[in-house]
Amino acid sequence: LGPALLGVAHLHHLLEKLRAGWPWALALQATLFQFAYTSVFGAYSGFLFLRTGHLSAACAAHCLCNYMQLPDVLFVVGDGEYARLRPIARYLLAAYLAGIALFAALLFPLTRPEWYSSPFW
């Protein structure tokens, strides 16, 4: 329920997009996408809290995700302002895929509960 509530907490962005002049269908599509990824992030935050036993892990992940945002992968198409990135698109895509693979490979090793039992965390 918690992850879904985090997604619901971001539904106000629909009104912001409509007030900014977005077409209804596009605003709804973007907001539903945001609902989906914030719900997934809510599950990830819960996982971090349960694995580490510290709320600071979930808070740090939330701060990092808010700062970094979703990766902009429009360079794959290479149109408009992204055309200049077309020559290195394969390297950027490889870096994104390597990041996803490293995230998956290191998720459990870096959240081992015994690492976070120290009172200094």
Side-chain angles (χ1 to χ4, degrees):
L1 182 62
L5 290 176
L6 184 65
V8 168
H10 289 82
L11 291 180
H12 69 279
H13 291 289
L14 176 62
L15 293 175
E16 292 175 5
K17 288 174 177 53
L18 292 173
R19 288 183 185 140
W22 285 45
W24 171 258
L26 186 60
L28 182 62
Q29 181 182 7
T31 303
L32 289 176
F33 179 72
Q34 186 174 20
F35 170 79
Y37 76 75
T38 53
S39 295
V40 170
F41 179 78
Y44 172 64
S45 295
F47 169 83
L48 287 177
F49 177 69
L50 292 174
R51 282 284 287 179
T52 65
H54 294 276
L55 188 58
S56 59
C59 290
H62 192 233
C63 290
L64 180 66
C65 285
N66 280 350
Y67 178 74
M68 296 299 291
Q69 299 181 6
L70 286 176
D72 190 355
V73 293
L74 290 176
F75 63 84
V76 174
V77 184
D79 293 336
E81 65 184 77
Y82 297 96
R84 64 184 171 77
L85 295 175
R86 194 66 171 153
I88 61 168
R90 81 180 98 224
Y91 302 111
L92 292 172
L93 195 55
Y96 284 153
L97 294 176
I100 291 169
L102 284 171
F103 175 84
L106 296 174
L107 181 60
F108 281 92
L110 293 180
T111 59
R112 289 195 321 226
E114 60 269 14
W115 284 11
Y116 300 96
S117 60
S118 167
F120 299 108
W121 287 93

